[in-house]
Amino acid sequence: MSEIALKPLSPLEAIEYFRDKIVLTPAQFYQLKRQAMVNAFTAAEITSLDVLNDIFEELAKALESGATMKDFREAINERMESRGWVGLTPFRADTIFRQNTQTAYQVGRWKQMTDPAVMTDRPYGVYSAVMDKDTRDTHRAVHGECRRLDDPFWDTWYPPNGFRCRCSVRTLSQRQVDKQKVKVSTGSWQRLIEPPGKPARQLIPDPGFDYNPGKEAYQPDLSKYTKRLRDAYEKRQREKAKA
């Protein structure tokens, strides 16, 4: 009997989303409206498009191959140093790697979860934080919140909800909701958080992360794009259509 070799599947939706990004300098990137940023790529304080393209390519390769942050840092530093640049520090490399790969995975995951066929069987999403000592108070407070995936809640509270956010969303079927007696919430989301020893404050995502990158990536409003980004995006779509 022949052996069957099991290999991890590539996150195709995440790779497609990331490969479709347009590389911009930080100055160009921050001229965009927030909704357009999800379809562009940059790295803070790096103004050379050559280096930004190198970082982008190494991140794309990491997504495609399943490489670790250490693999990414070694590869990008070799490329940067060959151009006479100082390589990325471990913290900087980790931040760039984690934020971009996490966003790509979550965008791909949103596309999978909201496929009409999938939603027929598993229409509920549950917010899941890591719940360790590094989990932010706000993210901890949302842990376990269950809503239908078409609930407006996910327009604001879909991860990542901050830099280096590790939160995710898992889906449930109606049978699982009933069997586990999960409370499904509806209505507007307005809640205060009162961390021990700290003043109460409104429960909101980290600044700049109060939107759903999955929705923005696959249903972009091109009126919010600059002409350069709009032209590049439309060109990319025409090329994909011909492929």
Side-chain angles (χ1 to χ4, degrees):
M1 183 176 178
S2 60
E3 293 184 356
I4 299 176
L6 299 179
K7 297 181 180 180
L9 297 176
S10 297
L12 299 180
E13 292 86 357
I15 294 168
E16 179 185 25
Y17 154 72
F18 191 78
R19 279 290 187 187
D20 273 349
K21 280 177 171 277
I22 308 301
V23 180
L24 301 175
T25 65
Q28 295 167 332
F29 181 83
Y30 289 112
Q31 289 177 5
L32 302 176
K33 293 187 178 180
R34 186 194 64 187
Q35 293 90 336
M37 289 179 175
V38 73
N39 284 316
F41 171 83
T42 198
E45 300 178 5
I46 296 178
T47 58
S48 167
L49 275 175
D50 286 339
V51 175
L52 286 167
N53 274 301
D54 286 346
I55 294 174
F56 178 83
E57 283 300 320
E58 291 301 334
L59 284 169
K61 288 179 182 178
L63 277 169
E64 292 164 351
S65 67
T68 65
M69 191 284 290
K70 182 175 180 291
D71 297 330
F72 161 72
R73 182 176 175 240
E74 289 176 351
I76 188 55
N77 281 356
E78 182 177 339
R79 290 181 72 159
M80 289 179 71
E81 289 164 6
S82 71
R83 293 181 183 275
W85 287 70
V86 176
L88 301 177
T89 65
F91 179 82
R92 186 84 184 283
D94 182 73
T95 299
I96 291 173
F97 179 84
R98 186 190 297 274
Q99 195 62 35
N100 283 280
T101 56
Q102 174 73 341
T103 300
Y105 283 130
Q106 295 298 351
V107 168
R109 179 75 174 138
W110 179 259
K111 186 176 184 181
Q112 293 172 341
M113 292 190 302
T114 56
D115 180 277
V118 176
M119 280 193 66
T120 298
D121 293 326
R122 306 182 70 83
Y124 302 101
V126 180
Y127 194 96
S128 179
V130 175
M131 302 299 282
D132 61 14
K133 64 181 180 61
D134 295 321
T135 303
R136 276 158 273 204
D137 293 332
T138 48
H139 299 198
R140 183 185 302 275
V142 189
H143 178 73
E145 180 75 10
C146 180
R147 302 252 177 161
R148 282 188 56 90
L149 288 168
D150 54 9
D151 191 291
F153 168 81
W154 301 111
D155 292 350
T156 301
W157 277 105
Y158 186 76
N161 291 122
F163 283 111
R164 303 169 71 84
C165 173
R166 299 167 295 157
C167 299
S168 60
V169 175
R170 59 188 177 89
T171 62
L172 294 176
S173 65
Q174 184 66 59
R175 181 180 179 183
Q176 289 173 312
V177 165
D178 296 339
K179 184 176 181 180
Q180 299 172 24
K181 295 181 171 55
V182 177
K183 178 185 176 183
V184 178
S185 300
T186 58
S188 62
W189 173 262
Q190 291 184 344
R191 187 176 299 177
L192 291 177
I193 180 173
E194 300 182 49
K198 299 179 182 179
R201 66 182 187 274
Q202 183 65 38
L203 182 59
I204 57 175
D206 296 3
F209 289 89
D210 57 343
Y211 70 103
N212 185 329
K215 282 192 173 184
E216 300 295 350
Y218 289 107
Q219 300 174 8
D221 181 353
L222 298 185
S223 68
K224 296 181 172 65
Y225 285 31
T226 62
K227 184 178 186 304
R228 178 170 183 250
L229 187 61
R230 183 171 61 250
D231 290 346
Y233 180 85
E234 291 175 338
K235 178 182 178 182
R236 200 68 71 75
Q237 297 307 304
R238 289 194 297 271
E239 291 173 349
K240 285 173 62 177
K242 293 178 181 178

